[in-house]
Amino acid sequence: MFPPRRIALAFLGACTLLAGCASPPLRLYTLGMPGDRDVQQPHLSARLTTIEISRAVLPDYLDSQDMITRQGEEVIRSPRSRWATRLSLGITDLVTNEIASSHPNELITDQPLADAANMRVQINVSRFDVNVDGQAILDANWAVIPRDPKKPLIRNRAHLTATGSVSTDADTASLMRKLVIQLADQVNLSIPSAQ
């Protein structure tokens, strides 16, 4: 039988060894707006136009919480950072907030509504790559679907690019956020004004 002192030293050594093997803390990132941003108070009326932003559709390998970069055909997952939510939800939230800031007298939402929206926006992202050299590409198409079947369906697409540092995961998140804001601006141009 081992003396208690030897057992305690072995236990302490094991704890020290495990602490030395511990990885750095996991960092979580979001595409969303900082909480301290000045937000214009909406002026909504009872007869307001409602626009529903449907959840963005992404390729399966992108629609996760993994932060990834690409090197050729290889997709590299960050070992130390993740998105705070699935990427499709982060994109939808940012696009909704950006469009809503341009339409203070309309209800722009990605949340369920009590009745049918006047318009629905569906965004399909076919490519959203950030390579290890800092080149980012976002290819998307979208449709603005009116509730009134007599009104035309509006379709459009965009090929967006940006460059920037990807030396940290924060840099990668910032570069991706920049592209999603560009996408939101393009989608916003497709939305007809309320009449």
Side-chain angles (χ1 to χ4, degrees):
M1 182 158 191
F2 294 107
R5 179 179 157 116
R6 193 176 239 178
I7 293 172
L9 286 174
F11 180 72
L12 183 60
C15 288
T16 303
L17 180 64
L18 287 175
C21 295
S23 61
L26 180 68
R27 293 185 178 268
L28 296 176
Y29 291 91
T30 179
L31 289 171
M33 306 307 256
D36 59 352
R37 179 178 172 206
D38 289 333
V39 177
Q40 192 176 34
Q41 187 66 25
H43 303 285
L44 304 178
S45 72
R47 305 199 69 180
L48 65 106
T49 298
T50 55
I51 301 172
E52 176 189 345
I53 310 295
S54 297
R55 182 172 172 175
V57 177
L58 277 77
D60 286 342
Y61 79 95
L62 286 175
D63 195 19
S64 71
Q65 286 182 265
D66 293 333
M67 287 191 74
I68 61 172
T69 53
R70 182 184 282 275
Q71 186 168 10
E73 285 76 35
E74 181 182 5
V75 174
I76 303 165
R77 179 180 166 265
S78 171
R80 59 193 172 276
S81 300
R82 292 173 61 85
W83 293 111
T85 186
R86 294 181 78 86
L87 188 56
S88 61
L89 293 172
I91 290 172
T92 304
D93 182 55
L94 182 54
V95 167
T96 301
N97 287 326
E98 284 295 309
I99 292 174
S101 69
S102 300
H103 299 266
N105 298 325
E106 298 171 14
L107 177 60
I108 316 295
T109 183
D110 57 5
Q111 302 299 310
L113 294 166
D115 57 356
N118 297 92
M119 286 175 254
R120 184 170 59 85
V121 177
Q122 176 61 60
I123 300 169
N124 303 305
V125 175
S126 57
R127 180 179 180 192
F128 197 1
D129 290 328
V130 178
N131 72 26
V132 294
D133 297 325
Q135 301 291 323
I137 296 173
L138 191 157
D139 289 330
N141 63 71
W142 62 91
V144 180
I145 307 157
R147 178 175 59 187
D148 183 350
K150 296 175 189 155
K151 292 186 177 179
L153 175 75
I154 299 168
R155 296 176 198 249
N156 213 331
R157 64 181 175 196
H159 172 78
L160 306 169
T161 61
T163 57
S165 172
V166 291
S167 59
T168 68
D169 290 329
D171 292 336
T172 302
S174 177
L175 185 57
M176 293 177 78
R177 184 176 190 280
K178 183 193 298 187
L179 277 176
V180 174
I181 290 173
Q182 287 180 34
L183 174 63
D185 292 343
Q186 293 291 315
V187 171
N188 191 35
L189 293 173
S190 300
I191 297 174
S193 59
Q195 298 179 18

